[in-house]
Amino acid sequence: MARKLDKILVIDLEATCWKDKTPEGMHNDIIEIGICLLDVKSGEISDNRGIIVKPERSIVSDFCTELTTITQNLVDMEGIAFTEACRILKNEYDAHARPWASFGAYDLRQFQRQCTELKIAYPLGPSHINVKTLFALKYQLGHETGMAGALEMLNIPLEGTHHRGVDDAKNIAKILHRILQ
């Protein structure tokens, strides 16, 4: 399959989490896939959405809701199965054929781990761009910084709710566009 290099798929995941250690019998499950497409030439950000995913092996803790604003009720009412979310990535975003980016390596590892554990075909392509590392290298920081800090350094206002995938994907795309300029 030919690579599509006109746009980069930008992804930000939110997953179930707990204030302390993971409770017995629970697993970190993806509960939101924030996604958008960044046009490499123009910098236009399109197809921005948040796919709410119903966790299969855990529940949304109060701590997780405080961090993300995502509630158990929201995932129960609007969430789709992880397999369906993967199908959307592959079929609607050509995720397997495009380079994709996230802020740090967490999203890459979480996607790989959950696909492996649930025996689901990995929907993303092999070309992952770690925007967090790329930003630190581009601006010769000597250390990595968080997404909010990177936006602040670039004088780009943080748009939406921090730790909501739909909003963070768009914010990450803005950082990546600036790096690519």
Side-chain angles (χ1 to χ4, degrees):
M1 170 172 291
R3 293 264 167 250
K4 294 184 176 184
L5 299 176
D6 58 328
K7 295 179 180 177
I8 299 170
L9 187 62
V10 180
I11 291 180
D12 185 74
L13 300 178
E14 303 303 331
T16 52
C17 55
W18 298 270
K19 188 171 187 170
D20 298 311
K21 66 180 179 136
T22 304
E24 183 80 26
M26 297 274 182
H27 296 266
N28 293 104
D29 278 328
I30 294 168
I31 54 175
E32 183 186 22
I33 302 171
I35 190 167
C36 66
L37 289 171
L38 172 64
D39 187 287
V40 175
K41 283 185 184 171
S42 71
E44 179 189 348
I45 297 168
S46 62
D47 298 301
N48 185 215
R49 79 195 261 197
I51 301 169
I52 301 296
V53 180
K54 188 177 282 196
E56 298 176 36
R57 307 167 300 166
S58 62
I59 59 168
V60 179
S61 69
D62 291 341
F63 172 78
C64 190
T65 296
E66 287 173 31
L67 184 66
T68 67
T69 74
I70 297 170
T71 63
Q72 183 66 46
N73 188 51
L74 177 66
V75 297
D76 287 343
M77 300 298 287
E78 296 182 25
I80 61 173
F82 181 63
T83 53
E84 177 64 12
C86 289
R87 188 199 61 74
I88 290 169
L89 288 173
K90 188 173 179 187
N91 295 343
E92 295 181 28
Y93 289 89
D94 290 325
H96 54 290
R98 294 189 186 284
W100 70 282
S102 64
F103 205 83
Y106 168 81
D107 304 78
L108 170 67
R109 288 193 308 267
Q110 178 63 34
F111 237 115
Q112 290 173 333
R113 180 173 45 247
Q114 192 161 332
C115 285
T116 299
E117 290 172 355
L118 297 177
K119 297 177 175 47
I120 294 169
Y122 184 69
L124 301 169
S127 300
H128 175 255
I129 301 164
N130 182 330
V131 178
K132 187 177 197 175
T133 301
L134 197 58
F135 180 82
L137 292 169
K138 164 86 176 181
Y139 295 100
Q140 301 172 13
L141 300 181
H143 60 83
E144 294 180 339
T145 187
M147 184 198 77
L151 288 166
E152 191 175 316
M153 286 178 66
L154 296 172
N155 291 315
I156 299 173
L158 192 149
E159 187 178 332
T161 302
H162 191 22
H163 298 299
R164 271 309 296 267
V166 63
D167 296 328
D168 284 353
K170 191 172 186 180
N171 287 312
I172 294 163
K174 291 176 186 179
I175 295 166
L176 182 54
H177 173 62
R178 189 70 65 86
I179 292 168
L180 295 174
Q181 284 182 313

